[in-house]
Amino acid sequence: MARGDVDSDASADLSAVIGGDPLDLRLSLASIVHWADSTAVRRDVMAKVAFPIDDMGMFLVVNQLSYNGAMRPVELSLALGMTATNMSKIVGRLVQAGLVVRVPAPDDDRGVLVALTDDGRVIGERIMAVAEANLRLVLSDWSPDEVADLRRTMARLARVHRSVSERRAGSA
């Protein structure tokens, strides 16, 4: 295969910017996030839960609602990096498929939440079961104490991250 437009500059640095420390927290977090966010992992979960429609956007919304409960469409858009227009279309398709329903927000007379229907919740339960099985597999050679330590540490990291994010949003 031809290489095309290749620069033969011998001074090019081929190493990662982050460095080679295997204990670098940034590297560990990036690796986990990229793995969990990968198309291959998402497709695998879609297959294992028998997601009824081959539509990644629809799957991602059901996944978010499974983890977070009912959400405003704008929250879904922000969480998934989608435009409001695209989210509206996806939610419409999910409503037609019988997996979600739009309901009034209890704390806002004009607000709307997107919530799982009974059929959507069944799929959400299967998503959670696959996530649990994947974690059990990854952590299969960890001791119960190591798993408990990881749970506490990750919960703390998530709690602190939410707190920092909320403070930043409040000051913006």
Side-chain angles (χ1 to χ4, degrees), residues 42-63 66 90 93-100 116-127:
R42 290 171 171 176
R43 288 273 174 213
D44 181 62
V45 174
M46 283 177 75
K48 286 179 178 173
V49 304
F51 197 76
I53 301 123
D54 186 20
D55 184 308
M56 184 63 72
M58 291 172 70
F59 170 77
L60 293 176
V61 169
V62 170
N63 188 56
S66 298
I90 291 170
R93 292 195 305 269
L94 284 165
V95 168
Q96 288 178 338
L99 299 179
V100 304
L116 294 172
T117 62
D118 289 343
D119 288 345
R121 186 164 291 279
V122 167
I123 292 171
E125 289 168 356
R126 293 194 307 239
I127 291 170

Side-chain angles (χ1 to χ4, degrees), residues 124-147:
E125 289 168 356
R126 293 194 307 239
I127 291 170
M128 293 302 111
V130 168
E132 180 67 27
N134 286 343
L135 280 174
R136 274 197 309 273
L137 179 64
V138 169
L139 302 175
S140 63
D141 63 342
W142 289 39
S143 73
D145 287 343
E146 289 172 318
V147 173

Side-chain angles (χ1 to χ4, degrees), residues 21 39 46 48 56 87 108 111 113 131-132 136 146 148-149 153 157 161 163-164:
D21 179 3
T39 300
M46 283 177 75
K48 286 179 178 173
M56 184 63 72
M87 184 55 59
D108 180 356
L113 298 176
E132 180 67 27
R136 274 197 309 273
E146 289 172 318
D149 287 345
T153 302
L157 179 62
H161 176 267
S163 174
V164 169

